[in-house]
Amino acid sequence: MTLAQYPPMGWNSWDCCGAAVTEDTVRQNAEYMAKHLKAFGWEYIVIDIQWSQPTARTHSYEPFAELIMDGYGRLLPAPNRFPSAAGGNGFKPLADYIHSLGLKFGIHIMRGLPRMAAHRRLPIAGSGYTCNEAADPNSICAWNPDMYGLRSGHPGAKDYYDSIFRLYAQWGVDFIKCDDIAREYPHCEREIELISSAARSCGRDIVLSLSPGPAPLERAEHLKTYANMWRITDDFWDEWRMLKAMFERAEKWCIHAGPGHWPDADMLPVGAIRQCYENDGEDPYPGKISRRGWTQFTQAEQQTMLTLWCMIRSPLMIGGDLTKNDDFTLSLLTNGPLLDIEKKSFCAHPLYTTDKESVWIAPRADGKGCFTAAFNLSEERRTVVVDPAEIGCGAFSAVELWSRRRCDDLSAVLLQHGAAVWHMEYVR
Amino acid sequence: MTLAQYPPMGWNSWDCCGAAVTEDTVRQNAEYMAKHLKAFGWEYIVIDIQWSQPTARTHSYEPFAELIMDGYGRLLPAPNRFPSAAGGNGFKPLADYIHSLGLKFGIHIMRGLPRMAAHRRLPIAGSGYTCNEAADPNSICAWNPDMYGLRSGHPGAKDYYDSIFRLYAQWGVDFIKCDDIAREYPHCEREIELISSAARSCGRDIVLSLSPGPAPLERAEHLKTYANMWRITDDFWDEWRMLKAMFERAEKWCIHAGPGHWPDADMLPVGAIRQCYENDGEDPYPGKISRRGWTQFTQAEQQTMLTLWCMIRSPLMIGGDLTKNDDFTLSLLTNGPLLDIEKKSFCAHPLYTTDKESVWIAPRADGKGCFTAAFNLSEERRTVVVDPAEIGCGAFSAVELWSRRRCDDLSAVLLQHGAAVWHMEYVR
Amino acid sequence: MTLAQYPPMGWNSWDCCGAAVTEDTVRQNAEYMAKHLKAFGWEYIVIDIQWSQPTARTHSYEPFAELIMDGYGRLLPAPNRFPSAAGGNGFKPLADYIHSLGLKFGIHIMRGLPRMAAHRRLPIAGSGYTCNEAADPNSICAWNPDMYGLRSGHPGAKDYYDSIFRLYAQWGVDFIKCDDIAREYPHCEREIELISSAARSCGRDIVLSLSPGPAPLERAEHLKTYANMWRITDDFWDEWRMLKAMFERAEKWCIHAGPGHWPDADMLPVGAIRQCYENDGEDPYPGKISRRGWTQFTQAEQQTMLTLWCMIRSPLMIGGDLTKNDDFTLSLLTNGPLLDIEKKSFCAHPLYTTDKESVWIAPRADGKGCFTAAFNLSEERRTVVVDPAEIGCGAFSAVELWSRRRCDDLSAVLLQHGAAVWHMEYVR
Amino acid sequence: MTLAQYPPMGWNSWDCCGAAVTEDTVRQNAEYMAKHLKAFGWEYIVIDIQWSQPTARTHSYEPFAELIMDGYGRLLPAPNRFPSAAGGNGFKPLADYIHSLGLKFGIHIMRGLPRMAAHRRLPIAGSGYTCNEAADPNSICAWNPDMYGLRSGHPGAKDYYDSIFRLYAQWGVDFIKCDDIAREYPHCEREIELISSAARSCGRDIVLSLSPGPAPLERAEHLKTYANMWRITDDFWDEWRMLKAMFERAEKWCIHAGPGHWPDADMLPVGAIRQCYENDGEDPYPGKISRRGWTQFTQAEQQTMLTLWCMIRSPLMIGGDLTKNDDFTLSLLTNGPLLDIEKKSFCAHPLYTTDKESVWIAPRADGKGCFTAAFNLSEERRTVVVDPAEIGCGAFSAVELWSRRRCDDLSAVLLQHGAAVWHMEYVR
């Protein structure tokens, strides 16, 4: 079976914990997922950025921080935040625990190697080269101060990427979110290929996810060849304008979704997010969104988000702290018939999109029916009626998947920013 | 039933006759179509540009030519080229004849009104305004010298467009190809709306086709709302580089095809094209393609073209003089199972595209199967194998539609620039 | 002596009369100039656009107007507006009268030939070609509906331009302002050369002025070779923001002024301008400037304008109706020592320019001194002090040319938007 | 007197020594200058980039090199290359020696502070801040790997720049060439201001020169306010295409030259350049120019270069190793009447420039005459005749400054790429 045969589904620490996630939080979310969500297809537990920085406390980055690394310039979990990593264990104990729950384990990495590893001229594991030889002093990340990109034409670059993936395979990592790379074409094209090669040759199935977006549409085939998923937007947060803007992205990328390669609309900022601000007073989005620790999306908007992500078969990564879920959030994440769209549909595309509404269709890959979703993009309650003749399909019976009601036609009264989605089964 | 429920199929005079088509040629092609092609879905006979110019002889335009028009600035067929139009009959006698063959009749128009009608200050039929008031002296076509565009905000503009569509309805016109407009956003946006309104209110079903391309992708919804088909490229001719380039266009536009609104990949330059050069020595594409009167496409290229057009559900308009078809050309146009894709499929999209090959899929709208096409874009013979797992569909039986052979898998040895296309029926 | 050895100085009908100037107005202004201004170097009387249109009444243009022309497509003065032109006299009687006053006579033309001359297929005088052959149906002016540009590669184009300049030479024209051309590089480059050639070979000294601006700076050498003056901005009117913006233009163009070739900052909108609105109610600049018939510039702004124009040696063309001058306006136009800068200086350039002030210097070509101008660009009264060390010149004595006061240093208290200018004579 | 009242003249180590200059070479060139050139106005001895890197051997840079610095992150001369700097003396002994020769001493710096100083979190001298606080981890130079730019809004940034200029003042530095800054608008605008402030408040007259070019023309007034000279091109080398291209730059910048602020056309690659390749085999311009250690300019081209630099009053910095001068090179650098243009002229500008020739004029600031230069830009010998009427000046007597011949008119037979320049004295 293809790696990432279906769009990956899981939890990621960024939206709730920022750069400051701890082992305790990870374990609690994994336990919650195993108990409440696993049955619905959720399986990945992913630790996002800065796990090697002892001093990380919020969503922001500290220039010239002292990162934990081994003698080969490979970053290690900061033991003050991940106690099981003490003694050079790395993430192995934590990965083992997550596997024991029947889940899979993922981590975030940055393209390149630590700047300090280059300035200290550390050797590369299993290589005759040193970090200063492989590093490109002019290749830096625009938003994070930790790393130098690699000279992709230098043999030490391949050696370094191979060395870190060997380590991750030893730890038991199942998923890598590689950052500072997906929108960095053309200069990072070769680094993408080196990282993909390292992932595929490390001896373990590791799903490769590229961030941040927007990845360039014109490089879709390169992305499909070298990655399992890639971000189609910059960071997505709980603002309606961002959700509305995703419809245009979705139109452009929908044709590129398929087994093993998935355009990624980013994490789902639902439930308890921005929790790290209990630690610190900085606001990463001053004046833009409230920082209190709960999603600002309405329930209707969350249904619209989940419906659109499913229709275009985006990977689904929950952003909120699962242990703080309320009933609505849990109900959202356990709507089995809706989540089924991710596995059963193919060939999705928009029927039409206006300023006020958007309608999408996605046939079932087994030919037994199709899914049709209607979205209210306007600021008022709105009745949306989809004419089956516009779809062009034959006779059918339908169920609306949020209300779970059987219905005769494709019409619905939608709340402001709300959605309906019908599972249509063909009648022969 | 929606007007243009399926992509229109027919014949257009441009590729073979240029600006110099005559009534004889039109009648002969209509008779041929009625006899040999009608059964396969072909139905439109369309007279392209310059039918009102008595002196037109080739593909080129004559500045300041004396166009035939009525006292209201409405262009009329030149009687020296269309004898049945003599005595002010317009195209009615010819339309009647084509209808008598069980076919439909179409004509080309340019956006705007004749420059001479403005300079002569002619009245507009059924209006209190005159042509000079409705015409915009600064709105001209970049490549044709005959017309002024209209001041879309002036009431005379609506009156003029309504006046010509009333005339066309009286003649019995079923299809209008309106030129100098589809790529002229934003300044022609309002003229598109006026023309659409005139077509819809003229009392007769008239399919509205907009040229030339490339129409702007970001205005897809406007085009879907106001036109039945619109060109997605500039003029398409029998050159491989143009055909290869269509794959990229196809990717961008495929999601916008649907009942009543079809992205148009332009005429099919097959068989006897560029026939007007018997009349005149000018070469519209000097140094680029041979001008001898036959398509330069190989048979493999023609199969690729027709397969791609069908898979994306482009309208099909034959460019060659049908009466001179050879056996191959006729066989191409009478491949019923292939042409069925236009009516039976929906939701087409590319599976992947590389420099060397492209694979497309299109589910059947009735859920009974899907179509898969494989194209060899390389310069060598090439074996293409499509893994059904990449499509994601279930068990099936397949027939390849060019060879009409039943097959167990989706693999084919393709000639340089050639194609295979499978009809896959699901096995339950 | 070089034609246009110094920057031309005169009067132009546009600012006061728009497209509607009449013979009476021209004669009255010529008489005024002869009496009051000629002694200060003013000499050209120029009739601006639309003198062949009988119906022109304001600053705006009438599409498809019936222009007066001869049988060769050459425009003639409309006799209802220029009575002396009746009977095919053209502008000869008026030119004779102006010459009799000791002045010179100029007219405006548009690039190209009348659209109607092409549609009527008129012959070109002294040529085997016809107007429709020489005209380019796709070359139109963006803002005036009368003309088609010429196919510069067609021999009829040269014939047409030669034919009109022969006529102008017969009339006694001394100055041609050719419009729709100076900013139309690159497509009008060859037409500029044809017009220049026609002017130089017509048998009479005719100064050639090109409009409208902005002419492209990077074609400065072409302009210097083929024209005597060319506009460096779009139309200039009595608004401070336009005057302020001229400082930046002046910096870019100042190095290109010299005998025979002068960058042109456009007419001086002083005194009685916009007089044609007594005829008609349309406002060419709605909501932007008052249309009452007098300049909106303050006296300080007018001094700044005239000072800057003189320092950069721009041609000076008065825009107001001279016969309605008040004392201030007359005093402005008769400041001899200031106007002397046009003839005595060279090598002007800015010393510095800030948001609040600008200082310019211009040496005397005879080495006896230099001119220094200081401008207050701010919204408040302001003291400007120029340090002679920044100029780098030696000992001098100075006179300020607006106050005509002798002074020891280069300092002045300047009104909002005001200017001072010193004539510094070197002390040996 | 204004600092840099006239354009600075001197010697710079880059063209001959690259990043690898040594104290011996500097002392020898200073001694040569004192003996042979000082009398003609040459005075600055400038040590270019990488003087703190012990391992520098060519024109290229070594990533992650160990730079010599003090405990405050201030770079110090590498004692293995500058022995007198041992024991923490810095450049003081060398500066003292150069001053003892009657010359002035300059050094190169990069914008920002050493990367290692930030990663080591060194304190800033005389400040409460540390290098990691003042450094911006995202502000790096595109071509040199040593430094981080400063957070110009952080008070530590001002402290750091003040701390290095205090040190330079103690050493006796008279001239700073600050690199990675002149073309880095807008993001380095504030750093320019901080550096300018540090230079002006350090207690010693230090000329501030900004590199590399092209500096943005639209920021000319900012440059004039904060710097004494700034580069108008990228690095200039001994290639005719670069020299020819300087004529266009010269046109744009000539109006901005004046006491204290000089547009800089870069070093003069004359005589013995590229000497460092005796040390190492790398070629910085592979395939472009010969690397043998002598200028590739013809004698005519060198005269053209020096003439143009003088006419636009560019600073003059000799690039060749003076001790290896041949007679021609020395004669070039000791043409007193030519070099006088730098001090005596003002208001230079081009008279005209064609593909084949360019003529420039520059009045004398004392009004006693002017300079006229004629350049042959063509590939053949060419006679250039300048008509004094085009200049507009009065009667004169002239001397051509390369031949030193008195002449009656401004005409010369110029070699391919050659120049003539006349000193014209007005006859009263």
Side-chain angles (χ1 to χ4, degrees), chain D residues 232 245-255 308 312 360:
Chain D
I232 64 174
M246 197 65 77
F247 283 83
E248 194 181 326
R249 302 278 183 191
E251 285 205 4
K252 295 199 164 107
W253 281 102
C254 62
I255 61 169
L308 179 63
I312 62 169
W360 283 69

Side-chain angles (χ1 to χ4, degrees), chain D residues 87-331:
Chain D
N89 286 329
F91 274 129
K92 181 145 202 345
L94 185 51
D96 287 347
Y97 178 68
I98 286 166
H99 292 152
S100 78
L101 298 171
L103 302 176
K104 291 180 175 166
F105 178 62
I107 59 172
H108 171 283
I109 65 170
M110 295 290 291
R111 168 178 75 86
L113 56 76
R115 294 193 190 183
M116 275 311 306
H119 285 287
R120 288 179 186 155
R121 300 165 167 257
L122 297 181
I124 294 170
S127 168
Y129 300 102
T130 54
C131 288
N132 53 304
E133 291 171 317
D136 178 348
N138 290 334
S139 176
I140 60 174
C141 174
W143 44 269
N144 178 285
D146 295 339
M147 314 293 276
Y148 288 127
L150 299 190
R151 305 182 159 194
S152 55
H154 188 284
K158 175 173 166 41
D159 289 351
Y160 182 80
Y161 281 130
D162 285 346
S163 82
I164 58 173
F165 274 83
R166 274 201 312 274
L167 184 64
Y168 304 152
Q170 288 164 19
W171 288 349
V173 170
D174 305 298
F175 180 105
I176 293 285
K177 173 181 176 179
C178 182
D179 219 337
D180 187 32
I181 198 156
R183 71 181 172 210
E184 302 303 323
Y185 283 89
H187 65 281
C188 291
E189 179 169 341
R190 182 80 182 111
E191 279 189 89
I192 290 173
E193 295 169 14
L194 289 177
I195 290 165
S196 180
S197 162
R200 288 173 189 181
S201 65
C202 72
R204 184 175 177 89
D205 278 349
I206 299 184
V207 169
L208 182 59
S209 163
L210 303 184
S211 277
L217 183 63
E218 62 275 17
R219 302 313 310 274
E221 297 296 342
H222 189 266
L223 291 158
K224 285 158 78 172
T225 303
Y226 291 103
N228 299 112
M229 50 190 273
W230 56 90
R231 289 269 303 282
I232 64 174
T233 66
D234 200 348
D235 283 11
F236 177 78
W237 281 99
D238 47 335
E239 293 184 73
W240 169 246
R241 65 168 182 85
M242 287 188 175
L243 177 49
K244 189 170 182 185
M246 197 65 77
F247 283 83
E248 194 181 326
R249 302 278 183 191
E251 285 205 4
K252 295 199 164 107
W253 281 102
C254 62
I255 61 169
H256 295 297
H261 49 85
W262 307 102
D264 175 11
D266 202 8
M267 274 98 75
L268 304 164
V270 295
I273 57 176
R274 287 185 290 277
Q275 297 293 307
C276 59
Y277 294 104
E278 295 171 13
N279 299 328
D280 195 302
E282 286 180 56
D283 182 348
Y285 303 98
K288 290 206 287 190
I289 50 173
S290 162
R291 43 175 291 239
R292 75 179 167 80
W294 198 261
T295 185
Q296 300 298 297
F297 275 142
T298 63
Q299 294 190 354
E301 286 165 348
Q302 292 176 64
Q303 291 179 337
T304 281
M305 173 175 63
L306 214 57
T307 305
L308 179 63
W309 269 232
C310 286
M311 287 296 288
I312 62 169
R313 304 182 85 193
S314 169
L316 298 178
M317 291 285 161
I318 305 163
D321 184 334
L322 298 173
T323 65
K324 299 178 182 168
N325 276 352
D326 61 4
D327 289 350
F328 173 76
T329 306
L330 180 58
S331 76

Side-chain angles (χ1 to χ4, degrees), chain B residues 62-77:
Chain B
E62 181 189 323
F64 313 110
E66 280 288 342
L67 306 180
I68 307 301
M69 65 182 79
D70 69 10
Y72 299 107
R74 296 184 293 196
L75 293 173
L76 299 176

Side-chain angles (χ1 to χ4, degrees), chain A residues 221 224 351 353 366-367 428, chain B residues 221 224 351 353 366-367 392 428:
Chain A
E221 297 296 343
K224 285 158 77 172
L351 212 56
T353 300
D366 61 9
R428 313 264 180 200
Chain B
E221 297 296 341
K224 286 158 78 172
L351 212 56
T353 299
D366 61 8
R428 314 266 179 199

Side-chain angles (χ1 to χ4, degrees), chain C residues 346-347 363, chain D residues 254 307-308 310-313 341-342 344-351 359-373 391 421-424 426:
Chain C
F346 75 160
C347 297
Chain D
C254 62
T307 305
L308 179 63
C310 286
M311 287 296 288
I312 62 169
R313 304 182 85 193
I341 302 175
E342 295 269 5
K344 290 189 175 162
S345 72
F346 76 159
C347 296
H349 77 215
L351 210 56
V359 174
W360 283 69
I361 58 171
R364 280 182 62 153
D366 61 8
K368 293 184 180 163
C370 72
F371 300 93
T372 299
I391 302 174
V421 51
W422 297 273
H423 181 197
M424 300 155 69
Y426 296 149

Side-chain angles (χ1 to χ4, degrees), chain B residues 164-395:
Chain B
I164 58 173
F165 274 82
R166 274 201 312 276
L167 185 65
Y168 303 152
Q170 288 164 21
W171 287 349
V173 170
D174 305 300
F175 180 104
I176 293 285
K177 173 182 176 178
C178 182
D179 219 338
D180 187 32
I181 198 157
R183 71 180 171 208
E184 303 303 323
Y185 283 89
H187 66 281
C188 290
E189 178 169 343
R190 181 80 182 114
E191 279 190 89
I192 289 173
E193 295 169 14
L194 289 176
I195 290 164
S196 180
S197 163
R200 288 173 188 180
S201 65
C202 73
R204 185 175 176 88
D205 279 349
I206 299 184
V207 169
L208 181 59
S209 162
L210 304 185
S211 278
L217 183 64
E218 63 276 18
R219 301 314 309 275
E221 297 296 341
H222 190 264
L223 290 157
K224 286 158 78 172
T225 303
Y226 291 103
N228 299 113
M229 50 190 273
W230 57 90
R231 289 269 302 284
I232 64 174
T233 65
D234 200 346
D235 282 12
F236 177 78
W237 281 99
D238 48 335
E239 293 184 73
W240 169 246
R241 66 168 181 84
M242 287 189 175
L243 179 47
K244 188 170 182 187
M246 197 65 79
F247 283 83
E248 193 181 327
R249 301 278 184 192
E251 285 204 6
K252 295 199 163 108
W253 281 101
C254 63
I255 61 168
H256 295 297
H261 49 85
W262 307 102
D264 175 11
D266 203 7
M267 274 97 74
L268 303 164
V270 296
I273 56 176
R274 286 186 291 276
Q275 297 292 306
C276 60
Y277 295 106
E278 295 172 13
N279 299 327
D280 195 300
E282 286 180 56
D283 182 347
Y285 304 99
K288 290 208 285 190
I289 50 175
S290 162
R291 43 174 291 238
R292 75 180 168 81
W294 198 262
T295 185
Q296 301 297 299
F297 275 142
T298 64
Q299 295 189 354
E301 287 165 348
Q302 292 175 65
Q303 290 179 337
T304 281
M305 172 176 63
L306 214 56
T307 305
L308 179 63
W309 268 232
C310 286
M311 288 296 288
I312 63 169
R313 305 182 84 191
S314 170
L316 299 178
M317 291 286 160
I318 306 163
D321 185 334
L322 298 173
T323 66
K324 298 179 181 167
N325 276 350
D326 61 5
D327 290 349
F328 173 76
T329 307
L330 180 56
S331 75
L332 200 65
L333 305 175
T334 55
N335 186 336
L338 181 86
L339 297 171
D340 265 3
I341 302 174
E342 294 269 6
K343 295 193 169 57
K344 291 189 176 161
S345 72
F346 76 160
C347 297
H349 76 215
L351 212 56
Y352 64 85
T353 299
T354 69
D355 281 351
K356 301 206 165 151
E357 62 190 54
S358 183
V359 175
W360 283 68
I361 59 171
R364 280 182 62 153
D366 61 8
K368 293 184 180 164
C370 73
F371 300 93
T372 298
F375 302 95
N376 177 3
L377 307 182
S378 82
E379 303 307 310
E380 289 92 34
R381 180 185 297 256
R382 182 173 181 84
T383 301
V384 178
V385 183
V386 182
D387 179 358
E390 290 193 53
I391 301 173
C393 65

Side-chain angles (χ1 to χ4, degrees), chain C residues 345-373:
Chain C
S345 72
F346 75 160
C347 297
H349 77 214
L351 210 57
Y352 64 85
T353 299
T354 69
D355 283 351
K356 302 209 165 146
E357 63 190 54
S358 183
V359 174
W360 284 68
I361 57 171
R364 280 181 62 152
D366 61 9
K368 292 185 180 162
C370 73
F371 300 93
T372 297

